[in-house]
Amino acid sequence: MRDVLPVLGRWYAAGVPFGLATVVQVSRSAPRDPGAAMAVGPDEEVVGSVSGGCVEGAVFELAQEVAAGGEARLETFGYSDEDAFAVGLTCGGEITLLVRAVTAEGDPAFGAVAGSVAAGEPVTVATVADGPAPRGAALAVWPDRTLGTLGARGLDAAVTADARGELALGATGLRHYGPEGQRREDSVSVFLQSFAPPPRMLVFGAIDYAAAVARIGDFLGYRVTVCDARPVFATPRRFAEGVEVVAEWPHRYLRDTVTDERTVICVLTHDPKFDVPLLTEALRRPAAYIGAMGSRRTHADRAERLAEAGLTERELSRLRSPVGLDLGARTPEEVAVSVAAEIVALRWGGSGAPLTATEGAVHPYRSS
């Protein structure tokens, strides 16, 4: 949804109704996660994807129908091996889609949500998916305000409280309530989609490898900062547009920077005078991934220096070094792919093994 919002925001600002299909629930080997979206706008223009191509044709027709004035729909698509021409998922999974029309009259909060996401302001959108409440009704929840309604004051209050909790976690998924927001009932299904600011990638060491890692980090949706103590190397012209470049001692910059459980830290300096104080700071703060470049000999020496600096075995166990997966990478771009692959595998619990050597679902179910 975050990827298609710029286009949807333009349609919305132009006053053009469009049909929006959002994945609200998945099971088994579904190809996309909850929150994936596809929209059909003016002149049959399509943006986004909900299944990677399996059911998009059917969703296109549904989105056109609701955009033309039809009621919001909740549709489930699964695997069918009885009819080769049936609409379904070839991966064997199942997805449930909420398909609704978006108009200025029906969804007064949509434009504000698109603006907040573009500005990096956190917001959660709650949408009624099923039950005795107006299907497709939307409520936008910011940390300090709300806009819209789900049709009942009690339901709005309960969902607002939950939405703010989900926003703090960056979580997305279905929640269930009674018609007035009762916690012990589950007749109303509400889809909560959180738009937290993009996670950060901090790359230390302004070398060629850093430029490649920064590019792939930006491609993966991270807000990327490259930091190096040497001003001659820490220059914006050496890096992709949109990458922040800072000339500062790495450990000092990190000490004054907020990190969280989604932050990725890549240390590519492989120089003890930078590495040891930087990793001493990094390994004692929240982060999803902390990787350091260097040979096995460099890593052993670095680990010994960090232990002498007072880091515990538990803290040292967080360090991914040598950085990246074993792909046989040589060039900066290949090394960046190796690093990105390790980050993705760690995030989703992947093995890093070739899929031909694994068994079970290719896209195993992942809870929100």
Side-chain angles (χ1 to χ4, degrees), residues 23 30-32 36 38 49-56 59 88-89 91 95 97:
V23 178
R32 302 297 302 274
M38 169 181 160
S49 170
V50 291
S51 74
C54 300
V55 302
E56 268 68 6
V59 176
L89 300 179
C91 61
I95 61 172
L97 305 176

Side-chain angles (χ1 to χ4, degrees), residues 229-291:
R230 302 162 295 182
V232 67
F233 294 112
T235 59
R237 67 175 179 273
R238 301 184 63 235
F239 297 91
E241 183 179 358
V243 173
E244 180 186 30
V245 182
V246 176
E248 174 62 280
W249 275 83
H251 72 284
R252 293 175 184 169
Y253 176 78
L254 183 58
R255 186 177 57 208
D256 297 330
T257 299
V258 176
T259 64
D260 60 25
E261 287 74 11
R262 302 182 303 153
T263 303
V264 166
I265 299 174
C266 298
V267 179
L268 310 182
T269 49
H270 51 80
D271 183 333
K273 68 175 177 291
F274 296 124
D275 290 0
V276 173
L278 172 58
L279 288 170
T280 299
E281 177 69 32
L283 293 169
R284 289 173 170 167
R285 58 167 51 230
Y289 175 92
I290 303 171

Side-chain angles (χ1 to χ4, degrees), residues 170-194:
T172 287
L174 279 175
R175 300 293 179 268
H176 304 280
Y177 307 87
E180 291 294 330
Q182 298 94 328
R183 300 287 184 175
R184 296 186 178 182
E185 298 185 28
D186 60 0
S187 59
V188 179
S189 298
V190 178
F191 183 63
L192 301 182
Q193 185 167 15
S194 298

Side-chain angles (χ1 to χ4, degrees), residues 22-26 33-36 124-129 159 162-163 166-167 170-177 188-195 365-368:
T22 305
V23 178
V24 297
Q25 192 170 33
V26 303
D33 290 328
T124 294
V125 178
T127 311
V128 175
V159 170
D162 288 350
E166 299 297 84
L167 187 57
T172 287
L174 279 175
R175 300 293 179 268
H176 304 280
Y177 307 87
V188 179
S189 298
V190 178
F191 183 63
L192 301 182
Q193 185 167 15
S194 298
F195 296 95
Y365 175 73
R366 300 183 291 265
S367 67
S368 297

Side-chain angles (χ1 to χ4, degrees), residues 100 106-110 125-128 134-140 147-150 156:
R100 66 187 183 98
D107 193 345
F110 192 90
V125 178
T127 311
V128 175
R135 179 175 289 161
L139 171 70
L147 183 59
T149 180
L150 303 181
D156 286 349

